[in-house]
Amino acid sequence: MTKLTVLPNSYLTLNYRLTLPNGEDYINTFIDRPATVLMGSGQFAPCFEKVLLGLGVGEKKSALLAPEESFGERKEDLVQWVSLKALKEGRDDDVKFNPGDVIEFNAPGGAQYAGVLQSINEEGAWFDFNHPLAGRPVTFEAEIVAIL
């Protein structure tokens, strides 16, 4: 009997954990319930899919990923000023914004992107559009629960 392994277009159920350099969990499905993903669909970053390829049911693997392999280096040009008018566009008049909030914006063509509000005043706000894990190494640990 051939052993079933994770291939590029596999549907799989897995538990996974992303751990920060200080050991803190960023995401941990081991404590909740497994995730189901379709490999190659963009649900997982290619660096995570690469770790999973070839694993079988019940197998576990861990990899330390440098920033350039995972979420990239921080880019200071992704910290940008947004006018208060642009920030409030398409939102309720009474909406409140606070530093640390993750705010979604509509891009041309219907795409969306998000930034973390750094500071705000009566003219506008500074947003960080870097991924929250940009510039940080992460450990990706996964266990295959099922290959569907």
Side-chain angles (χ1 to χ4, degrees):
M1 185 171 180
T2 306
K3 176 183 165 190
L4 197 57
T5 60
V6 176
L7 299 172
N9 292 312
S10 298
Y11 246 120
L12 54 116
T13 302
L14 74 156
N15 278 307
Y16 70 97
R17 173 182 8 244
L18 274 181
T19 308
L20 304 176
N22 65 4
E24 177 186 344
D25 284 346
Y26 185 75
I27 296 173
N28 185 351
T29 69
F30 285 92
I31 58 173
D32 191 15
R33 62 178 167 192
T36 300
V37 298
L38 173 59
M39 295 285 284
S41 68
Q43 293 174 315
F44 253 4
C47 61
F48 301 144
E49 290 188 355
K50 186 176 171 183
V51 173
L52 300 173
L53 289 174
L55 292 180
V57 174
E59 290 186 310
K60 202 174 200 180
K61 189 170 181 182
S62 181
L64 176 62
L65 302 170
E68 60 273 11
E69 296 175 287
S70 56
F71 298 99
E73 296 293 345
R74 279 192 55 74
K75 296 176 182 167
E76 288 309 312
D77 62 333
L78 292 180
V79 177
Q80 299 180 0
W81 177 257
V82 176
S83 72
L84 203 56
K85 179 183 177 208
L87 179 58
K88 290 189 172 186
E89 189 175 305
R91 305 183 201 279
D92 293 338
D93 290 337
D94 61 348
V95 67
K96 301 283 187 229
F97 300 102
N98 297 298
D101 289 350
V102 177
I103 309 294
E104 288 191 356
F105 294 87
N106 293 320
Q112 288 195 317
Y113 59 99
V116 177
L117 177 62
Q118 303 293 300
S119 63
I120 189 168
N121 64 29
E122 61 281 345
E123 296 175 15
W126 284 101
F127 280 88
D128 186 346
F129 292 103
N130 283 285
H131 187 283
L133 296 179
R136 302 169 81 178
V138 294
T139 299
F140 176 70
E141 176 187 357
E143 180 179 24
I144 305 302
V145 175
I147 301 173
L148 311 170

